[in-house]
Amino acid sequence: MPLIEVHDLQKLYGGRTVVDGVSFAVEEGEVFGILGPNGAGKTTTVECVEGLRTPDSGLVRVAGLDPVADHERLTRILGAQLQESELQPKLTVREALELYAAFYPNPADWRPLAERLRLTDKLDSRFGKLSGGQKQRLFIALALIGNPKVVVLDELTTGLDPRARRDTWELIEDVRDSGVTVLLVTHFMEEAQRLCDRIAVIDKGRVAALDSPAGLISRAASSTVMSFTPSAPLDRRQLAALPAVTLVEERDGRYTLNGTDETVDAAITLLARHRITAHQLRVSDATLDDAFLDLTGASA
């Protein structure tokens, strides 16, 4: 039985449907990602999983528990880092960690957690004096301090610098390896591609696709991207006529082609035939970002 079950979930606000028949299941020990444009219904969906909102229809279960009816029991096995959170401004980081640890029968030792999230030198700092990134790292620690069976992370690394982001990714990988199930909402494609076993793409309140990162990328209209600066003028129409090409762009004399490996082979043959050298040639696979754009027509 999946650890998290969401079936035909629907949520309305003021008569407007925000979540419209969303269904997915998360296996134990899995990192399951949710991607989607702003306003797609991602946060509302996970808030129903957390028991913070009551669905208008559909079924939600976490380890067999109804998040609303069994909310008190749910809080003992589920940790959450919300998209927006606040603490009392004069509360110190140490006091917040000790307070949250006191809520659970078998809490994690918050000291190594604080060290891992680079909070040790901020233990005596008041919450109101922390930077946005420091607050975010504290909320991640608070989500994990109860030794949860399931943790929901909504925009995990928003506001973190690149080093803190990668440190946090390593922490989540360790959390997953310990058997914790992670439900991750993110706008960072690199984050989703690195951490997630499977991803649900939600668009306009519905699941547009559900697959592994590699599976989603394979659905991209173009599987290969080629870019180069030609050594001599080039007829763009010849590039557009290449096999399997889906896009040709030219900017400041540099061309970008979206297509397949066949497109790349044909482009190189074309350039050789006209004795044109491809300077600064780059060939790369499609990314999760490409797949996201194809599925939703929107940026994250």
Side-chain angles (χ1 to χ4, degrees):
M1 179 181 297
L3 195 60
I4 300 174
E5 294 180 272
V6 177
H7 179 69
D8 202 21
L9 175 65
Q10 188 173 63
K11 182 64 183 176
L12 293 80
Y13 295 130
R16 182 173 66 92
T17 302
V18 176
V19 177
D20 188 9
V22 165
S23 298
F24 60 85
V26 183
E27 301 298 327
E28 187 169 1
E30 185 176 26
V31 178
F32 188 92
I34 295 181
L35 293 176
N38 291 329
K42 305 182 301 297
T43 293
T44 297
T45 297
V46 297
E47 286 178 344
C48 290
V49 172
E50 295 161 331
L52 300 178
R53 297 193 185 276
T54 303
D56 289 304
S57 64
L59 178 142
V60 180
R61 293 291 183 269
V62 180
L65 301 175
D66 181 322
V68 176
D70 304 314
H71 190 68
E72 183 177 349
R73 293 169 62 193
L74 180 70
T75 59
R76 297 181 185 179
I77 65 166
L78 184 145
Q81 170 255 322
L82 306 178
Q83 190 179 84
E84 295 183 10
S85 300
E86 287 294 329
L87 293 175
Q88 209 280 336
K90 293 186 177 181
L91 196 68
T92 67
V93 171
R94 186 191 309 275
E95 290 169 339
L97 292 167
E98 291 178 341
L99 176 64
Y100 273 64
F103 295 155
Y104 301 96
N106 297 297
D109 184 347
W110 58 262
R111 293 166 186 82
L113 198 55
E115 182 176 358
R116 187 71 182 270
L117 288 164
R118 293 165 46 202
L119 291 170
T120 302
D121 61 346
K122 294 295 179 181
L123 290 177
D124 295 319
S125 299
R126 299 188 186 279
F127 178 80
K129 298 295 184 180
L130 299 179
S131 69
Q134 290 162 352
K135 290 178 179 178
Q136 185 78 337
R137 298 202 302 272
L138 175 58
F139 285 124
I140 293 168
L142 297 180
L144 297 172
I145 205 165
N147 272 326
K149 188 173 183 178
V150 180
V151 63
V152 180
L153 304 169
D154 194 347
E155 298 194 14
L156 170 68
T157 56
T158 297
L160 300 188
D161 60 57
R163 178 188 168 187
R165 181 175 298 136
R166 292 187 180 276
D167 287 346
T168 303
W169 290 350
E170 291 178 1
L171 173 62
I172 299 307
E173 287 170 338
D174 288 347
V175 167
R176 175 195 58 200
D177 291 344
S178 71
V180 176
T181 302
V182 180
L183 184 57
L184 174 68
V185 179
T186 181
H187 281 161
F188 292 106
M189 297 296 144
E190 183 183 2
E191 180 169 283
Q193 192 164 346
R194 170 167 171 171
L195 294 178
C196 297
D197 298 299
R198 290 186 302 138
I199 297 169
V201 178
I202 296 181
D203 188 30
K204 299 180 179 65
R206 297 184 177 184
V207 175
L210 198 166
D211 208 333
S212 66
L216 291 175
I217 291 170
S218 71
R219 302 187 190 191
S222 303
S223 60
T224 306
V225 180
M226 175 185 184
S227 62
F228 63 94
T229 301
S231 60
L234 190 60
D235 188 343
R236 181 169 174 168
R237 291 173 297 180
Q238 289 182 299
L239 295 176
L242 293 175
V245 70
T246 58
L247 178 69
V248 177
E249 290 184 332
E250 186 272 330
R251 181 177 297 177
D252 298 326
R254 185 168 181 81
Y255 287 84
T256 300
L257 281 66
N258 288 20
T260 65
D261 291 344
E262 184 184 7
T263 307
V264 174
D265 291 341
I268 291 173
T269 300
L270 174 68
L271 295 173
R273 185 185 309 128
H274 292 278
R275 301 181 183 277
I276 296 175
T277 302
H279 294 297
Q280 298 177 315
L281 175 64
R282 299 285 186 273
V283 178
S284 60
D285 293 331
T287 65
L288 190 57
D289 192 64
D290 296 319
F292 180 88
L293 290 170
D294 286 343
L295 288 165
T296 68
S299 62

